[in-house]
Amino acid sequence: MSALILALDATSRNEALAIAESTARYIDAIKIGYPLVLGAGLSVAGEIAALGVPVIADFKVADIPNTNTLICDSVFQAGCSAVICHAFPGSDSLAACVGSAHDHGGECFVVCEMSHPGGAEWFSGGVAESFCMMAAGAGADGIIAPATRPARVAALRELIGTRKIYSPGVGAQGASPEDVKELVDGIIVGRAIYGAADPAAAAAEYSRRCR
Amino acid sequence: MSALILALDATSRNEALAIAESTARYIDAIKIGYPLVLGAGLSVAGEIAALGVPVIADFKVADIPNTNTLICDSVFQAGCSAVICHAFPGSDSLAACVGSAHDHGGECFVVCEMSHPGGAEWFSGGVAESFCMMAAGAGADGIIAPATRPARVAALRELIGTRKIYSPGVGAQGASPEDVKELVDGIIVGRAIYGAADPAAAAAEYSRRCR
């Protein structure tokens, strides 16, 4: 079984809050990204967290260490519980994200392999495995690995041990909860819930399938 | 000679606008990033552009294609002239950024190598050169290459031809305008201008040294 994480990629504040409220009882966390935050402002994170659902800032932080620190500090000050960052800007940039997360009592997740077709171009050939080891070495709380490629998730699970794996790609990108629910700690579903005619019913159904 | 681009990494709207106004006459563009936008809101981009200075959104966009399109569309709708994205998420993600930029009459720049110490971990060994070819293949308007490593800038100039190169790392990170001004189209200076006791005087001096 796995937790269910809603990728809330609505672009307006009102729509996002309405979906968050109607689905909150069925989900374990809400992941927000820049498409929402650029429209609604970062304060939307606190408004969602006030519903009692932990908020994960999927900002794929990928800058120099000083900038990463500033971004992550903003994330946690806004009420988020976790941040997602990239590994390829290097171990110093990654350490800045983990440091900010832990300074604020939050978690940091590292993208080890992306779920879309282009994600196979540069994260393949051992790169995802290296990122996984970087994540462990930096003291990150977990990694992001693609439900669209369960064999890759299994390979990364071997490396990451008991740290958490959150897995996107379920729903619109084609994967099913059953593909990875025994391998991962959290399954991330976006459009298949927030874009459903009845988001609450879709969340309830995905929640059942994650158990 | 090279253009001078101010990396305006102040974190408050009022401070950012004050520095933008005082330095505008000496600089050719202002680069903003998430540390400012998460605090001030994306509308600050339009406020800076209203001073008559083109605004570059250095968001290091690095997500799946759909999310990249949403982020870049927001950038250009807010009044920016260019966006900076990563190549690492793959050619489909990169194409989404270039497509959004050109749909809005804007420019897209691709990070080929970062300027900080960790930037050498994953952008080395031919990776930066591959990113450079990806940028050209995607029809990007230019690349980002580190003034802290002028020999690398020269190598990437050979590959990128007449497309633009913008180069960070001058000032606080240790490089000088003279290191790269004959190689690049734009030199990016941040803390050495916006953190100076007299930002306008610092901008005037860097502008002179870029000529």
Side-chain angles (χ1 to χ4, degrees), chain B residues 130-147:
Chain B
S130 295
F131 287 173
C132 195
M133 300 313 293
M134 279 176 73
D141 301 281
I143 64 169
I144 307 296

Side-chain angles (χ1 to χ4, degrees), chain B residues 97-191:
Chain B
C97 296
V98 174
S100 172
H102 293 181
D103 283 349
H104 292 87
E107 292 184 308
C108 178
F109 288 81
V110 180
V111 177
C112 282
E113 186 169 327
M114 294 179 75
S115 55
H116 66 300
E121 289 177 25
W122 289 97
F123 292 86
S124 60
V127 170
E129 283 81 353
S130 295
F131 287 173
C132 195
M133 300 313 293
M134 279 176 73
D141 301 281
I143 64 169
I144 307 296
T148 45
R149 304 185 197 102
R152 300 290 302 136
V153 179
L156 297 176
R157 170 57 81 195
E158 291 289 314
L159 293 175
I160 204 69
T162 56
R163 289 177 206 263
K164 293 179 189 170
I165 300 179
Y166 288 170
S167 201
V170 169
Q173 289 191 64
S176 299
E178 294 75 12
D179 295 340
V180 291
K181 71 178 183 180
E182 303 302 334
L183 281 170
V184 304
D185 302 280
I187 285 173
I188 301 169
V189 182
R191 284 165 274 180

